Amino acid sequence: MNTNYLFICSIGPVQDFIAAARSSRDLAYGSFLLSELAKTAARTIVQRESFQALIFPAPASKDDLAPGSDLSVANKVVAVVQGEPAELADAIQEALHAFIEAAWKSVEGKLGNDVDKGLARRQLNDLLEFYWVAAPLDDEYPQVRALCEGALNARKATRDFGPYQGASRFKSSIDGWREHVLAKIPHRASSPNANQMQRYKLRNGELLSGVDLLKRWGAIALATKYKSTSHMAALPFAEGLAHEGIDVDKLCAALENLMTSEGGTLFAKGDYSVFFPAEVRAAFDDKAKVKTVLRQHELILQQYAGNRRPSPYYVLLLADGDSMGKAIDAQTTPEAHRKLSQKLSAFARQVPEIVKKHQGVPVYAGGDDVLAYLPLHTALACVQELAATFKQTMQGFTFEENGETKSPTLSAGLVITHHLEPLRDALALVRTAEKAAKTVEGKHALAITLNKRSGADRTVKGDLPALIGRLQTMTSWWLNDTLSKGTAYELERLARDMEGVLPQHALCAEAVRILKRKRESGGRQEVPKEVIEQVQTWLAVERIALGEVAQEMIVANELA
């Protein structure tokens, strides 16, 4: 008689692997590769057991597990199996290594002898982290699952230390600890020239490891074209020009022709990153050439856009389901858990379309996890729709919490950051923002961090619908020049000096006095009465701290 086992496996590394990215293509392919590896694990289970063995993910059909399918899968796979778990784990691990080997082989073939193949393969062989646990299903499903989850966490906390297999080379400029494998650039002193930059798909000053090259070239091989973070920052500017009848594609082509005619290396064509002077500096080695091209770059921009220039900021979004552990714990059978997984897959399938509808780029959507980047002017509407869709999708899965019946909701972190901010740093910031959202009582929350290149970071957080409502109201004030920029900073100074000293009603009165003596931005009209009344409602009725309102005004100004 065959014994049923609950089998759980986890594939990594996750955070470090995704975060080691210079370009949006690196970021997206890192997420894509992890999802494909998870699908490979699930596919191996189906081949050795059955399609019904899978609990998480729980796709609609076997076709969803095919390589390159639209389905994104989280890095954990759960199944009920009858075969020997150790043999299944070995088969999965072998399939995972074979997938990485096949992905690298196509890259290696294109690069030929331009890379240290031996070092690159050692780096890729050391890339994978695979952990698994299994237990007989001879007890209630929740108890067995809790036992397996505890064992898996303990195994992941037990680190493996293999022998060092590096080389005496400079480190990768992306992750900082693997050696670069570019055979024709052995030392930093011989940095890549323009031809080598084009050949290796490098930016100026980059040195890439085997893992970095897999990401960079793997992303190029995908049919999907990932727009840069610079493109995302410039998108509102381009839309504004187009709204006035200016041919944005013609402007973009003129700037691209300028750079290529001068011998520069374009990292991507048709990308609005060319609107920024930083793209010119990245395209040329010669400083004198950079100055010459920058002067012509400025003249072309003046011809099309006058004195207007794009904002250098975009939004990185990270969202995660609330109380998913409790929702899963409430599923007392594998069948019930599988139904929950099916709903998560249904949500994950909707995520890319929602993000694209709001002009963003979906990086990852696996289960209840979402990573994307967006332009400033659509970010709030996007996260609002994602949260509403998730809540509606999961409303049938309830659990008890503090005497109340609840269902999972979605919380999100946003970071407004500079398009040249290293993606590793931006990802760290958005993870911190998401954790801040999770501290809001009742969750279903949003936290936004404004990461300006000058000054300290600012973070606002609160109930997601309520915070978005306030920010959208404030954004309309800035767009209509209802407030001067100094108003928010004066309210912030008042809060910093007097919050905790004066009672709330006195702070509210002083805030109203400040608003009444202000004028509309660039005009002589007084601040409209409805604006003052709205601020009074937030402070006196809803009891929102003045400091929070002031910070929200500053964030809303950036969104506008």
Side-chain angles (χ1 to χ4, degrees):
M1 179 177 170
N2 291 330
T3 301
N4 286 337
Y5 291 91
L6 181 63
F7 179 90
I8 304 178
C9 65
S10 175
I11 302 159
V14 179
Q15 303 297 354
D16 289 342
F17 181 71
I18 292 175
R22 171 68 58 84
S23 72
S24 55
R25 289 188 298 187
D26 298 344
L27 177 68
Y29 186 77
S31 299
F32 168 83
L33 181 61
L34 285 173
S35 175
E36 288 300 302
L37 289 171
K39 279 196 287 189
T40 299
R43 197 163 55 244
T44 305
I45 292 172
V46 169
Q47 290 166 352
R48 293 179 65 92
E49 296 284 333
S50 70
F51 184 66
Q52 289 69 34
L54 286 177
I55 293 177
F56 183 81
S61 71
K62 291 182 182 180
D63 293 340
D64 290 332
L65 296 176
S69 71
D70 292 336
L71 180 68
S72 290
V73 177
N75 70 311
K76 182 187 289 185
V77 178
V78 183
V80 174
V81 302
Q82 291 186 339
E84 175 57 43
E87 292 179 4
L88 175 61
D90 290 342
I92 292 173
Q93 193 161 12
E94 184 178 337
L96 296 176
H97 280 292
F99 188 93
I100 293 175
E101 172 74 17
W104 171 249
K105 204 166 185 178
S106 62
V107 173
E108 188 181 64
K110 292 171 184 174
L111 290 171
N113 294 322
D114 291 354
V115 298
D116 184 333
K117 295 180 181 179
L119 177 57
R121 283 179 177 273
R122 287 198 298 274
Q123 291 173 344
L124 288 162
N125 286 336
D126 289 341
L127 170 65
L128 193 66
E129 293 176 0
F130 178 70
Y131 309 108
W132 68 275
V133 295
L137 268 172
D138 52 8
D139 206 340
E140 294 294 324
Y141 178 74
Q143 285 77 19
V144 177
R145 194 184 69 81
L147 174 67
C148 287
E149 292 286 0
L152 183 65
N153 290 335
R155 174 62 187 92
K156 289 165 74 173
T158 306
R159 301 297 301 273
D160 295 327
F161 296 93
Y164 177 70
Q165 300 184 39
S168 56
R169 286 172 164 267
F170 281 100
K171 301 294 185 180
S172 156
S173 54
I174 305 298
D175 65 32
W177 65 276
R178 293 184 180 95
E179 290 79 9
H180 84 83
V181 297
L182 307 179
K184 294 186 178 179
I185 312 173
H187 305 295
R188 174 66 78 180
S190 53
S191 59
N193 57 38
N195 289 332
Q196 289 170 324
M197 287 167 65
Q198 186 68 32
R199 172 75 174 134
Y200 292 132
K201 303 294 184 289
L202 302 178
R203 279 192 178 274
N204 207 355
E206 279 189 331
L207 294 174
L208 304 183
S209 69
V211 175
D212 302 329
L213 280 171
L214 175 59
K215 285 185 180 181
R216 186 69 52 86
W217 281 78
I220 293 168
L222 292 177
T224 305
K225 292 185 178 179
Y226 298 104
K227 292 299 185 181
S228 67
T229 55
S230 302
H231 176 94
M232 207 54 60
L235 194 55
F237 168 76
E239 284 198 355
L241 295 181
H243 185 69
E244 296 176 12
I246 296 169
D247 192 334
V248 178
D249 291 337
K250 194 173 179 180
L251 167 59
C252 191
L255 293 172
E256 288 178 353
N257 290 338
L258 165 67
M259 292 167 64
T260 54
S261 65
E262 295 289 343
T265 304
L266 274 180
F267 200 64
K269 286 191 174 183
D271 194 282
Y272 293 159
S273 58
V274 291
F275 294 165
F276 292 103
E279 189 69 10
V280 176
R281 298 188 186 96
F284 297 93
D285 291 328
D286 188 338
K287 291 184 179 179
K289 176 72 73 174
V290 168
K291 288 183 180 179
T292 301
V293 177
L294 279 176
R295 283 194 293 268
Q296 297 176 65
H297 185 273
E298 177 63 20
L299 288 174
I300 293 173
L301 279 174
Q302 285 181 2
Q303 178 187 344
Y304 283 87
N307 293 324
R308 289 166 296 179
R309 297 295 178 270
S311 164
Y313 292 89
Y314 74 101
V315 175
L316 191 61
L317 178 156
L318 183 65
D320 179 57
D322 299 320
S323 305
M324 286 305 301
K326 293 179 180 178
I328 293 172
D329 288 343
Q331 313 311 309
T332 57
T333 65
E335 291 74 21
H337 190 175
R338 188 177 293 112
K339 288 180 181 179
L340 185 149
S341 299
Q342 288 169 347
K343 285 294 185 180
L344 287 175
S345 294
F347 169 72
R349 281 193 174 281
Q350 296 178 74
V351 169
E353 291 307 313
I354 293 173
V355 173
K356 289 174 185 176
K357 184 174 84 171
H358 295 283
Q359 300 172 277
V361 175
V363 175
Y364 177 76
D368 59 322
D369 295 321
V370 178
L371 178 63
Y373 55 101
L374 299 123
L376 287 172
H377 65 307
T378 64
L380 291 181
C382 181
V383 72
Q384 191 170 35
E385 185 171 351
L386 287 171
T389 302
F390 184 83
K391 187 174 183 179
Q392 182 179 9
T393 303
M394 302 302 297
Q395 63 184 355
F397 298 92
T398 60
F399 56 90
E400 295 296 320
E401 185 177 74
N402 299 326
E404 295 182 52
T405 300
K406 296 183 177 181
S407 58
T409 53
L410 193 76
S411 288
L414 302 181
V415 59
I416 301 170
T417 189
H418 198 279
H419 71 111
L420 295 181
E421 185 75 12
L423 275 170
R424 177 184 288 276
D425 296 341
L427 284 164
L429 284 170
V430 79
R431 288 192 192 104
T432 301
E434 186 213 23
K435 288 177 182 176
K438 295 287 189 179
T439 65
V440 174
E441 187 176 355
K443 299 174 185 173
H444 189 42
L446 173 65
I448 304 176
T449 295
L450 176 58
N451 171 233
K452 299 284 280 189
R453 284 208 145 183
S454 59
D457 293 347
R458 302 172 186 275
T459 298
V460 298
K461 64 180 182 179
D463 174 77
L464 189 145
L467 178 57
I468 288 179
R470 292 197 299 274
L471 288 171
Q472 288 175 333
T473 298
M474 293 173 183
T475 299
S476 70
W477 295 346
W478 296 119
L479 288 173
N480 297 326
D481 291 329
T482 303
L483 291 177
S484 64
K485 288 187 177 180
T487 304
Y489 290 98
E490 190 165 345
L491 292 176
E492 184 187 39
R493 283 194 296 273
L494 171 63
R496 185 171 58 242
D497 294 341
M498 293 298 172
E499 224 161 26
V501 178
L502 294 178
Q504 181 78 354
H505 71 274
L507 277 173
C508 179
E510 181 60 17
V512 168
R513 186 189 70 78
I514 289 172
L515 288 169
K516 285 183 175 179
R517 65 180 176 79
K518 290 289 181 180
R519 296 290 183 267
E520 290 185 348
S521 180
R524 297 187 176 183
Q525 296 293 324
E526 293 181 352
V527 173
K529 181 181 178 183
E530 57 267 25
V531 172
I532 296 174
E533 289 176 348
Q534 179 62 79
V535 173
Q536 278 184 302
T537 299
W538 287 333
L539 296 176
V541 180
E542 298 182 22
R543 309 294 293 177
I544 301 171
L546 175 61
E548 292 179 26
V549 171
Q551 296 272 27
E552 289 171 11
M553 281 186 177
I554 294 169
V555 170
N557 178 256
E558 197 65 41
L559 291 169

